[in-house]
Amino acid sequence: MEVNTKAVGIVNVEENQIVNFSDGLLGFEDFKSYALIDSEYEPFIWLQSLDKADLAFLLVDPFLIYPKYEADIDDSALKYIKITSPEDIIVMTIVTVPTDGSAITANFLGPIVINRKNNQCVQVVLNDSRWTTKFDIVAALKGKGEN
């Protein structure tokens, strides 16, 4: 399937790259279908809307940024996307790259949970004061050797 993307123009995506959010993302509830597309900058991945070419989010695995990250996800959210085994879970966070030169951050408070077996997704809001919507990626990576 050809997808018109915000970042890299038209790309071909396979069926296994398409993910669905029954409720959409927070603030973007009307957009339910997305494609996971490799970014030119590893380890980042594009979450590209299939409904709107200029709607895309940069994602990263939070455990690569901060290995001590913990996401205590409510069982009801896991049941909602039909998770039956911990091995089926992929956790990603949305990255913000400000144009004003301020810190590049990841939303550690609102991770995206993907069921790798059926490609159903949900964005959850954690009830954990350790995390923020603006977790500084560069600062965390600089301190990685200390963790």
Side-chain angles (χ1 to χ4, degrees), residues 67-89:
K68 293 181 181 179
Y69 179 68
E70 294 177 7
D72 186 15
I73 300 163
D74 187 83
D75 286 344
S76 63
L78 299 178
K79 287 179 185 173
Y80 186 70
I81 59 171
K82 299 177 176 53
I83 294 286
T84 57
S85 169
E87 292 80 31
D88 298 340
I89 299 171

Side-chain angles (χ1 to χ4, degrees), residues 9 16 19 30 41 61 70 78-79 82 88 91-92 97-98 100 102 104 106 115 118 120 125 128-129 140:
N16 64 351
V19 296
D30 293 338
Y41 303 105
D61 178 338
E70 294 177 7
L78 299 178
K79 287 179 185 173
K82 299 177 176 53
D88 298 340
V91 176
M92 301 297 281
V97 182
D100 65 3
S102 58
I104 298 170
N115 182 334
N118 65 13
Q120 293 298 306
V125 177
D128 191 330
S129 61

Side-chain angles (χ1 to χ4, degrees), residues 1-131:
M1 159 187 223
E2 284 190 346
V3 175
N4 191 13
T5 71
K6 179 178 180 179
V8 293
I10 297 174
V11 297
N12 283 316
V13 297
E14 301 295 324
E15 190 68 30
N16 64 351
Q17 292 174 265
I18 296 172
V19 296
N20 294 290
F21 292 81
S22 294
D23 296 330
L25 292 166
L26 298 173
F28 299 90
E29 291 82 3
D30 293 338
F31 303 97
K32 316 247 187 234
S33 295
Y34 293 83
L36 295 171
I37 300 170
D38 289 335
S39 165
E40 58 275 25
Y41 303 105
E42 287 188 29
F44 301 101
I45 297 171
W46 285 108
L47 181 67
Q48 173 64 56
S49 171
L50 297 181
D51 302 312
K52 187 173 181 174
D54 65 346
L55 180 61
F57 301 92
L58 199 56
L59 302 181
V60 70
D61 178 338
F63 301 101
L64 294 176
I65 303 303
Y66 189 70
K68 293 181 181 179
Y69 179 68
E70 294 177 7
D72 186 15
I73 300 163
D74 187 83
D75 286 344
S76 63
L78 299 178
K79 287 179 185 173
Y80 186 70
I81 59 171
K82 299 177 176 53
I83 294 286
T84 57
S85 169
E87 292 80 31
D88 298 340
I89 299 171
I90 299 171
V91 176
M92 301 297 281
T93 55
I94 296 176
V95 174
T96 300
V97 182
T99 57
D100 65 3
S102 58
I104 298 170
T105 61
N107 182 351
F108 273 26
L109 193 60
I112 292 171
V113 183
I114 303 169
N115 182 334
R116 75 171 73 236
K117 283 194 173 173
N118 65 13
N119 286 4
Q120 293 298 306
C121 309
V122 65
Q123 184 176 21
V124 297
V125 177
L126 302 177
N127 187 17
D128 191 330
S129 61
R130 291 178 296 172
W131 311 124

